[in-house]
Amino acid sequence: SGGWVLLCNCHLDTSWISVLDDFCETSLCSHQTHREFRLWLTCAPNDNIPTSLLQRSFKLACLKPSGLRAHLLSMYRKMSEQEALGGSVMAGMQKQL
């Protein structure tokens, strides 16, 4: 089906990343994969992540604001914008994805 899979913090244990890379190359890149299927990986920069996996991926960089005050202000600003538009923060994030 067109489900989504999210694998978080992949940089913490990279021993299985080469297996995931092979699986993506053979199975996920085939024409039998549902066109709405998405595989999301979150990780910090790591030299053990195969280049071939990165080349087949869309990459997003999220830079956190420096300092607690800046981080909280950023969160509140996003929440206020969504509330002003009449939607929840999660609904807005889902639209962006």
Side-chain angles (χ1 to χ4, degrees):
S1 73
W4 290 21
V5 175
L6 173 63
L7 303 174
C8 296
N9 298 322
C10 295
H11 60 281
L12 296 177
D13 181 16
T14 57
S15 63
W16 58 276
I17 290 288
S18 61
V19 175
L20 177 66
D21 184 36
D22 293 339
F23 176 76
C24 289
E25 187 173 339
T26 57
S27 299
L28 292 183
C29 292
S30 72
H31 294 290
Q32 295 181 1
T33 303
H34 194 282
R35 38 184 299 223
E36 297 297 321
F37 175 77
R38 300 292 182 267
L39 173 62
W40 292 80
L41 304 174
T42 67
C43 65
N46 190 310
D47 292 335
N48 294 328
I49 297 175
T51 305
S52 57
L53 183 62
L54 294 173
Q55 289 174 340
R56 281 194 300 273
S57 305
F58 290 103
K59 290 156 281 300
L60 301 172
C62 298
L63 302 175
K64 60 183 175 183
S66 59
L68 179 61
R69 184 175 192 273
H71 181 69
L72 289 174
L73 287 173
S74 172
M75 286 177 44
Y76 290 136
R77 196 172 305 121
K78 289 177 186 175
M79 290 171 50
S80 297
E81 289 171 3
Q82 288 300 322
E83 289 173 359
L85 295 174
S88 71
V89 174
M90 289 304 291
M93 293 174 87
Q94 289 172 343
K95 287 179 187 177
Q96 290 176 4
L97 297 175

